[in-house]
């Protein structure tokens, strides 16, 4: 499935809310999807994005690692449904939005946490989501720089 469609599905699922367990499962799904997108960009994306894409893969993996993995039925892992990235800029714009929403959801969960374990799990996941979003922003900046450089090369 196309990356943007999977991101939109994740955003809708996250926005639908639910209890803390369901929200954490959606956060985990979003981080796993970010990890898969980063991995694909690192292997087959524009060359100037590969280093940042590897960083995104690692950070999103950390975001999954600090959370308890959800119990998913076969075929429910969105990251495993990723078949194509589409336009890198478009995909990264949507992914940045998703990661921002993940951070907001985690802040809400941390604020309402009944136990210290959930609170700290959310705090670590917030850090991973923020750092992942920073990588996405850097990749978008690099794409913009590349676009600016192309007309200069053609004119020269």
């Amino acid at each position: 499935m196309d990356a943007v469609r999977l991101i939109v599905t994740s955003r809708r699922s996250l926005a639908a809310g639910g209890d803390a367990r369901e929200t954490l499962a959606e956060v985990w799904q979003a981080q796993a999807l970010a990890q898969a997108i980063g991995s694909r960009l690192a292997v087959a994306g524009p060359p100037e994005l590969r280093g940042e894409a590897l960083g995104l893969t690692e950070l999103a993996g950390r975001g999954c690692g600090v959370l308890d993995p959800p119990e998913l039925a076969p075929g429910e892992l969105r990251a495993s449904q990723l078949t194509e990235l589409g336009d890198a800029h478009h995909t990264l714009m949507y992914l940045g939005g998703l990661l921002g929403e993940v951070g907001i959801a985690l802040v809400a969960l941390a604020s309402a946490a009944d136990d210290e374990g959930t609170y700290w799990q959310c705090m670590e996941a917030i850090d991973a989501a923020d750092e992942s979003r920073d990588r996405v922003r850097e990749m978008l900046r690099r794409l913009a720089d590349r676009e600016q450089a192309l007309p200069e090369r053609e004119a020269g």
Side-chain angles (χ1 to χ4, degrees):
M1 188 181 298
D2 174 74
V4 171
R5 285 182 58 199
L6 289 168
I7 293 167
V8 168
T9 299
S10 284
R11 289 176 87 168
R12 286 183 183 145
S13 296
L14 189 61
D19 64 16
R21 185 185 56 79
E22 292 168 338
T23 301
L24 286 172
E26 287 304 324
V27 166
W28 190 92
Q29 285 262 38
Q31 289 284 24
L33 183 56
Q35 185 179 26
I37 290 169
S39 180
R40 288 275 177 103
L41 284 169
V43 171
E48 60 270 18
L49 301 186
R50 292 188 179 155
E52 293 296 328
L54 275 174
L56 173 61
T57 301
E58 292 171 12
L59 289 166
R62 190 183 87 198
C64 288
V66 298
L67 300 171
D68 295 328
E71 293 182 26
L72 300 172
E76 286 185 330
L77 177 60
R78 287 188 204 107
S80 70
Q81 299 170 27
L82 180 64
T83 57
E84 63 182 272
L85 287 177
D87 176 65
H89 181 267
H90 194 64
T91 297
L92 290 169
M93 289 293 293
Y94 274 81
L95 183 59
L98 173 62
L99 291 168
E101 291 168 14
V102 161
I104 292 168
L106 286 165
V107 167
L109 280 178
S111 298
D114 291 334
D115 63 286
E116 209 170 301
T118 301
Y119 172 82
W120 285 111
Q121 193 176 35
C122 289
M123 296 308 288
E124 289 180 39
I126 289 167
D127 286 344
D130 284 346
E131 291 178 35
S132 295
R133 191 168 183 214
D134 289 345
R135 293 292 172 129
V136 168
R137 285 185 184 137
E138 179 60 22
M139 286 188 277
L140 286 167
R141 187 193 64 75
R142 288 178 186 225
L143 285 175
D145 289 349
R146 181 182 73 168
E147 291 300 314
Q148 283 183 333
L150 288 178
E152 292 172 8
R153 287 185 194 146
E154 292 171 1

